[in-house]
Amino acid sequence: MSNNPCHLNQVSNRNFLSIGGFQLVLNRCRKVDFLCNKANLPGISMGSARQSSYLRDIPVPGDKIQYEDLRVDFIVDENMENYHQIYHWMRELGYPEDLGQSKLDNRSDATLLILNSSLQVSGKVKFRDVFPVSLEGIPFNATIQDQQYFTATAVFKYTMFDLMDIDGKEV
């Protein structure tokens, strides 16, 4: 290794990230993650404030990070078991018909496993306190010509996510 400080700015792996290289583990809905075909690493944003000075206002970092939603697309199995898992989870979160439907612990953790070009885990994104806020309806249609399979979309909120290496250490 060189003593060049610019070496610290070089990427260690020059392979590119594949958008198809992922696996989702949704602890509360294990039937969803097997047939998951899309998931996003949500964006984050942070506001800014202005600090006044006698020459001009200077932008300074804000103090709150906003996380975009976690969106998951999954193929619905023909018994709709994976769809039912999210549906019932949302029913528990909403206004249940009786006290027996309500559960105190309605949040879950989720992990997005990032796979490398050899389909081995190269990193993890750990989502904390995940819960569903939206589940797409199923548009049955008897007029279609070719067999098609339905992919549902579920949207989740969470408190935050952590980027981790393969050993589970925050990066």
Side-chain angles (χ1 to χ4, degrees), residues 13-42:
N13 182 340
R14 296 198 181 217
N15 291 328
F16 302 121
L17 181 65
S18 168
I19 61 171
F22 77 95
Q23 180 182 356
L24 178 72
V25 179
L26 186 56
N27 297 348
R28 174 85 186 245
C29 295
R30 295 311 301 255
K31 293 180 181 182
V32 171
D33 44 359
F34 178 71
L35 294 174
C36 177
N37 59 1
K38 283 186 187 176
N40 68 320
L41 174 55

Side-chain angles (χ1 to χ4, degrees), residues 44-50 58-67:
I44 65 171
S45 61
M46 181 172 63
S48 64
R50 295 229 174 255
I58 300 169
V60 294
D63 59 354
K64 292 183 182 176
I65 292 177
Q66 300 293 318
Y67 291 93

Side-chain angles (χ1 to χ4, degrees), residues 58-78:
I58 300 169
V60 294
D63 59 354
K64 292 183 182 176
I65 292 177
Q66 300 293 318
Y67 291 93
E68 291 179 358
D69 295 338
L70 171 62
R71 299 181 62 81
V72 174
D73 290 1
F74 60 96
I75 299 170
V76 178
D77 65 280
E78 79 178 359

Side-chain angles (χ1 to χ4, degrees), residues 48-99:
S48 64
R50 295 229 174 255
Q51 179 180 353
S52 295
S53 76
Y54 65 94
L55 295 175
R56 64 180 179 94
D57 291 345
I58 300 169
V60 294
D63 59 354
K64 292 183 182 176
I65 292 177
Q66 300 293 318
Y67 291 93
E68 291 179 358
D69 295 338
L70 171 62
R71 299 181 62 81
V72 174
D73 290 1
F74 60 96
I75 299 170
V76 178
D77 65 280
E78 79 178 359
N79 292 334
M80 296 177 55
E81 293 177 31
N82 50 10
Y83 193 89
H84 289 172
Q85 282 188 322
I86 296 177
Y87 172 80
H88 289 294
W89 188 4
M90 290 183 75
R91 289 274 308 259
E92 290 171 7
L93 289 168
Y95 293 101
E97 294 175 2
D98 61 59
L99 292 177

